[in-house]
Amino acid sequence: VYATKSKNNPKKNNTQPNSRTMTTAKDPITITHTATSSSFTIHPYGAHITSYATSPNAPPILFLSRDAILDGTKPIRGGIPLCFPQFGQPDPSYPQHGFLRNNYWKVVEGSAFDDDANGAGIAMELSLKDAVHARGGKWGEDTKYDCVCRFRVRICGESMTNTLEVENTGTEAFDFQMLLHTYYLVSEGKALDGTVCYVEGLKGYKVSDKVSGEEYVNDSDEPIVIKDSIVDRVYTPMGEKVGLDVVVGTGPGRKILLKANGDVDGKAVPVSGVVWNPVEKAKSMADFGDDQFNDMICVEPGLLSDVPVLEAGKKVTFTQVIKSV
């Protein structure tokens, strides 16, 4: 792992990994913010965050399946998978959720930091030429497109900031979707208890129910809850809504404040939200415990609708901020 500052070595503004514990390209990396003792672990495979805790004794914020595959042979189940250039598989010519979560990323040299005031974090990068898995269709080996993807993570006590940036380094514009498929841990196995596990803040959003096929506008003040069967819904902002700002109940006495925003070439783009729990479908998922639907809820911000193409030389930046309260 990367070792950031220890309490016995309170040097400030440490912007380099501890030289005693450098990692190989495939090792998971743990970053600790010394001032608050908050920490997270990120795997180079998929630039995938698998854990985040606000302190050593605090319960984990993120859910990780007990059957998750961590050896780089398939995407990791749980944590924060990165989705680009598509969410789901609207284009069947290449794999579901795109290629970010299926390839090894590189640590940006000198990016690891641990600063008392500004938190601790790291940045990772993936060039399209290094994405050897999960390609196909218009993103196949003979693609006319090119891009560089960067993922920055910063923690400071009870908050984590994730920023996914894609720069079009080619000569052709391309369309895309982008999403952070965040899995939250629900304490005490109460994901189906709507009094403590819920999502608030989605009134006025257009809903696309991927299970029933229904589409409607959510005009209710009631929170979104998981009942006794699979939930898979996309909530798309309407009108003047741009950023996503919701409250996620994650068990007795636990809440997450989630905010997300994105822009393409500096212009704000509406942020959708996906709410997912597989419930009975968990039994058919090899890397997901049959009963673990009780322990999680996915609330996934993404740029999914009305997203302009990314022109050559331009960037898309997408950020979510998670705060435990």
Side-chain angles (χ1 to χ4, degrees):
V1 298
Y2 278 90
T4 51
K5 299 179 299 182
S6 69
K7 292 185 178 179
N8 295 325
N9 180 25
K11 181 181 177 182
K12 295 184 179 181
N13 299 318
N14 176 20
T15 59
Q16 297 292 336
N18 187 310
S19 60
R20 295 172 299 175
T21 52
M22 293 292 287
T23 90
T24 64
K26 297 183 178 181
D27 289 336
I29 300 162
T30 295
I31 297 288
T32 299
H33 182 218
T34 302
T36 62
S37 297
S38 55
S39 65
F40 70 92
T41 297
I42 186 168
H43 285 241
Y45 186 74
H48 197 125
I49 299 171
T50 55
S51 69
Y52 164 47
T54 58
S55 70
N57 297 321
I61 300 298
L62 302 177
F63 167 86
L64 182 67
S65 170
R66 61 174 177 258
D67 297 323
I69 307 299
L70 302 174
D71 62 2
T73 59
K74 68 174 298 182
I76 297 169
R77 176 69 66 185
I80 308 180
L82 309 181
C83 303
F84 172 89
Q86 68 178 351
F87 168 64
Q89 202 172 16
D91 183 343
S93 67
Y94 66 100
Q96 175 176 293
H97 297 334
F99 50 78
L100 300 193
R101 63 191 189 130
N102 301 75
N103 288 279
Y104 281 99
W105 294 51
K106 297 177 180 178
V107 175
V108 175
E109 185 176 357
S111 67
F113 69 96
D114 179 9
D115 178 77
D116 285 356
N118 297 317
I122 201 167
M124 307 197 79
E125 183 174 286
L126 176 70
S127 297
L128 185 62
K129 64 180 176 59
D130 296 324
V132 296
H133 302 295
R135 301 279 296 277
K138 62 185 180 183
W139 286 96
E141 292 184 1
D142 60 348
T143 184
K144 61 183 180 180
Y145 305 134
D146 201 5
C147 64
V148 175
C149 309
R150 301 179 184 93
F151 187 52
R152 299 189 298 274
V153 185
R154 181 177 70 89
I155 56 171
C156 190
E158 295 178 343
S159 71
M160 167 184 272
T161 301
N162 310 130
T163 300
L164 179 58
E165 177 186 277
V166 176
E167 179 180 0
N168 184 343
T169 53
T171 59
E172 299 284 340
F174 54 78
D175 61 319
F176 69 94
Q177 294 176 313
M178 175 181 287
L179 178 136
L180 302 177
H181 199 311
T182 311
Y183 289 71
Y184 294 103
L185 177 68
V186 178
S187 62
E188 299 182 22
K190 289 186 176 291
L192 272 59
D193 182 345
T195 65
V196 294
C197 180
Y198 52 82
V199 184
E200 295 178 333
L202 293 173
K203 183 180 180 180
Y205 280 68
K206 180 181 178 181
V207 184
S208 176
D209 191 315
K210 300 303 182 181
V211 180
S212 70
E214 295 178 290
E215 294 195 357
Y216 56 93
V217 175
N218 178 31
D219 57 5
S220 173
D221 289 312
E222 294 298 313
I224 310 303
V225 299
I226 311 299
K227 295 183 179 179
D228 56 359
S229 62
I230 182 174
V231 170
D232 188 0
R233 302 191 198 108
V234 179
Y235 291 80
T236 302
M238 300 175 62
E240 300 299 316
K241 292 181 183 292
V242 179
L244 185 72
D245 188 349
V246 299
V247 178
V248 184
T250 56
R254 301 183 66 196
K255 292 182 182 179
I256 297 292
L257 306 183
L258 167 62
K259 295 186 178 183
N261 60 80
D263 68 78
V264 175
D265 191 26
K267 182 179 179 180
V269 178
V271 179
S272 298
V274 178
V275 179
W276 180 74
N277 184 307
V279 190
E280 71 276 10
K281 187 181 176 183
K283 293 182 178 180
S284 65
M285 301 163 66
D287 59 353
F288 197 109
D290 290 358
D291 60 343
Q292 285 195 288
F293 62 85
N294 291 297
D295 303 321
M296 54 72 65
I297 184 172
C298 280
V299 184
E300 314 158 25
L303 306 182
L304 303 180
S305 300
D306 298 323
V307 183
V309 297
L310 190 61
E311 300 286 350
K314 303 302 183 180
K315 296 179 182 178
V316 52
T317 303
F318 184 56
T319 298
Q320 75 168 0
V321 180
I322 297 166
K323 184 174 183 181
S324 175
V325 295

